[in-house]
Amino acid sequence: MGYGKLAILATALLLLGSSCNRLQGGTGGANQDASGISTLSLRLTSGGDLEWTVQGEPGLYVFRLGQVLRAVPQDDRLSIMGGIPFFALGSQGEFEAYLRRDRDGRWVKGSIPYAFALREDGTGEFRTLSPARFAPVPTEADLPFYLGTANPPGGRPYDKPWLKEPPASPLVLGAPVCLQRGASWPYGQRPGNTSPDFPPVAPEAPPALMTFWYSPGGGHAMIEYLQGRYVRAIDALNSYSLLYYSADAYAPPPGESMEVKDVIFTVIYEPTHPLRNRWTRIYPREPFRLRWEGDRLVCEGFGEWVAELMPEGFTIPGYNYDTGVFEMNKGVPMVLPPEWDPYAGR
């Protein structure tokens, strides 16, 4: 796959929604009954994965963290689930658990607010800000998602939750961290850019700037350019069946400075998506700028990722809209064209 940064996670959680029924709300007026979920708690494992424990009435559970959605039909047993990496958390947020009760088709919501900090020594701190809170969902119109159909190319359709308001980026863009001398790689997550074929190559150990992005799965293809050169392409089928992420590290040679320019293009394949066949360009607003002050690494320009919808009609040669595949022998650019480069002229 080039560059060696691709990390594959298990497919089971993504595909659990295949056996879910479509949304069917209860009858009558607005729901006022908050009962259904008896236990909901969070923790971050030593490996840096968010793990949640849930127990409640039988029904369909939908778990949400930002734009990450997981749907699981569940009985009344205590269940422990997880698999969301630490760099998808952000500095603060709210984990949500929704239950459609089998007994009446009504929805309830449990939520836990949290805070997370990743420090320059490579350690992290995760804490919940309050116990779980539960509330009724008055009607299906008040849900932030709907259960639609995922249609992978060449595969069998299956039920899947989709956000009613799709995010600008199908990737979750993690906050970079500037690791200093003596730091460890966060939660043992070693960088993926170790191949000499695609420099800059990660150092053996910090100091380094470490950057992250994560695909919550479903319905898009992507292509990435680093330092203006092709790094990798991920076909649409893989986005349905695989959860993948990137964790990279960069540092200039001693006494020198460097800029890191990462540009990603994604295109929506999912036929039911309102932005089907539209491209989004994702990049740090400013290049990552790295320099030394003595033995301390100074990291600048990494405060914000940009996700901007490309104009209608924009296309990348070699991408097959029918199959969701980048056909590399049909003109996929190996060098980022200047007119696509958000940093051109800087």
Side-chain angles (χ1 to χ4, degrees):
M1 297 301 296
Y3 207 51
K5 315 199 284 190
L6 183 62
I8 304 301
L9 300 179
T11 65
L13 283 174
L14 178 64
L15 299 179
L16 276 170
S18 62
S19 60
C20 301
N21 296 320
R22 297 193 179 275
L23 295 180
Q24 296 177 1
T27 58
N31 179 33
Q32 298 180 3
D33 179 4
S35 66
I37 304 175
S38 57
T39 299
L40 181 64
S41 62
L42 297 178
R43 78 180 190 99
L44 198 64
T45 69
S46 60
D49 288 330
L50 184 68
E51 185 178 270
W52 57 95
T53 300
V54 64
Q55 187 172 25
E57 294 183 24
L60 173 65
Y61 287 78
V62 176
F63 303 103
R64 181 188 180 196
L65 180 74
Q67 67 194 74
V68 182
L69 289 170
R70 305 263 174 88
V72 184
Q74 181 68 27
D75 58 22
D76 59 358
R77 290 174 296 181
L78 185 73
S79 296
I80 300 175
M81 307 177 193
I84 300 176
F86 64 91
F87 43 81
L89 296 176
S91 59
Q92 60 183 7
E94 189 169 77
F95 180 84
E96 299 170 338
Y98 294 85
L99 164 65
R100 188 190 66 199
R101 299 181 297 235
D102 278 352
R103 60 180 164 90
D104 62 1
R106 297 291 198 168
W107 286 88
V108 295
K109 172 187 174 182
S111 61
I112 302 177
Y114 68 84
F116 175 68
L118 190 58
R119 307 184 186 93
E120 62 181 23
D121 65 358
T123 62
E125 179 186 9
F126 176 84
R127 56 194 176 93
T128 55
L129 303 180
S130 74
R133 298 170 294 194
F134 303 99
V137 179
T139 68
E140 288 182 12
D142 299 298
L143 293 169
F145 58 85
Y146 66 94
L147 192 64
T149 302
N151 299 271
R156 185 172 61 184
Y158 59 91
D159 290 344
K160 174 179 168 51
W162 298 97
L163 290 174
K164 290 179 179 177
E165 297 184 6
S169 167
L171 302 179
V172 177
L173 306 168
V177 59
C178 196
L179 301 171
Q180 298 301 325
R181 193 172 304 278
S184 57
W185 298 120
Y187 296 96
Q189 176 60 65
R190 296 190 61 82
N193 56 322
T194 57
S195 169
D197 296 330
F198 296 96
V201 177
E204 289 295 321
L209 173 70
M210 200 165 193
T211 66
F212 311 94
W213 56 254
Y214 165 66
S215 169
H220 65 272
M222 62 154 289
I223 187 169
E224 183 176 13
Y225 294 87
L226 180 66
Q227 308 297 71
R229 297 174 56 188
Y230 166 81
V231 173
R232 81 159 71 84
I234 306 295
D235 298 332
L237 178 61
N238 286 337
S239 81
Y240 286 98
S241 59
L242 304 174
L243 302 179
Y244 56 86
Y245 65 86
S246 164
D248 304 320
Y250 312 98
E256 299 184 19
S257 61
M258 70 181 297
E259 286 190 341
V260 179
K261 300 178 179 180
D262 195 6
V263 182
I264 302 169
F265 293 90
T266 64
V267 60
I268 300 299
Y269 171 85
E270 170 55 43
T272 65
H273 197 287
L275 295 176
R276 174 168 167 75
N277 293 339
R278 290 294 300 275
W279 291 84
T280 297
R281 180 171 63 181
I282 303 166
Y283 59 95
R285 184 173 295 280
E286 298 294 331
F288 303 134
R289 296 185 177 93
L290 311 179
R291 58 184 174 85
W292 295 100
E293 288 185 357
D295 64 352
R296 181 174 177 81
L297 181 65
V298 178
C299 308
E300 299 172 322
F302 63 93
E304 181 183 3
W305 286 90
V306 176
E308 56 188 19
L309 196 64
M310 300 299 284
E312 288 194 53
F314 175 85
T315 191
I316 290 183
Y319 176 73
N320 187 318
Y321 289 89
D322 293 326
T323 63
V325 171
F326 288 96
E327 299 175 351
M328 305 306 294
N329 61 345
K330 293 188 177 180
V332 175
M334 293 293 102
V335 176
L336 182 66
E339 61 270 24
W340 299 358
D341 187 353
Y343 306 118
R346 297 198 205 179

